[in-house]
Amino acid sequence: MQTTRLNKLLEFLKADPSDPFILYALATEYNTAADYQQAFHYYNLLVEQRPDYVGTYYHLGKLHEKTGNKEKAVEIYRMGLKAARDKNDNHAFSELQGALNSALGLDYEDD
């Protein structure tokens, strides 16, 4: 993880602790660095503070899958589907549906 980028994001967070983009960027930065505890912290904070920030659900679900909690991933994907539906975000809905299907083992193709 680039310390400079992380430090800059943390400075931005101090200036505006509820900015969803900053929270998302921090979660992503920590996730990339395999600091999953911090990634979970910021993704969950974002879900609590801005449940309409639809992009969070896909990445939070994938992080749960990566850390072995498929049941929680399924729950998060379903929450994201509702949020995407509420925002009329068909692209996010489609991505979340694909992630949910994969987590449930339903990502098969016809022969």
Side-chain angles (χ1 to χ4, degrees):
M1 167 173 18
Q2 281 197 340
T3 306
T4 305
R5 183 171 42 214
L6 179 61
N7 287 338
K8 196 58 118 173
L9 288 169
L10 290 169
E11 285 177 31
F12 291 149
L13 183 65
K14 284 180 187 175
D16 190 356
S18 62
D19 183 321
F21 179 77
I22 296 168
L23 295 172
Y24 181 81
L26 279 165
T28 301
E29 193 72 22
Y30 282 118
N31 190 10
T32 301
D35 186 341
Y36 302 137
Q37 182 178 352
Q38 286 290 57
F40 275 124
H41 170 74
Y42 286 106
Y43 282 135
N44 287 323
L45 193 59
L46 194 50
V47 168
E48 290 170 19
Q49 291 182 3
R50 290 294 302 270
D52 62 329
Y53 204 77
V54 177
T56 307
Y57 297 96
Y58 179 88
H59 296 285
L60 179 55
K62 287 295 180 185
L63 183 55
H64 278 294
E65 284 191 75
K66 186 189 312 185
T67 58
N69 194 346
K70 194 174 280 197
E71 287 180 25
K72 185 66 176 176
V74 166
E75 177 186 334
I76 294 298
Y77 294 141
R78 288 184 171 143
M79 289 170 58
L81 285 168
K82 181 187 179 321
R85 190 179 313 111
D86 290 348
K87 282 189 81 170
N88 247 355
D89 187 337
N90 294 328
H91 178 75
F93 187 91
S94 177
E95 286 187 343
L96 286 160
Q97 187 66 63
L100 176 61
N101 288 348
S102 178
L104 293 173
L106 303 173
D107 58 339
Y108 55 87
E109 293 184 24
D110 291 335
D111 288 335

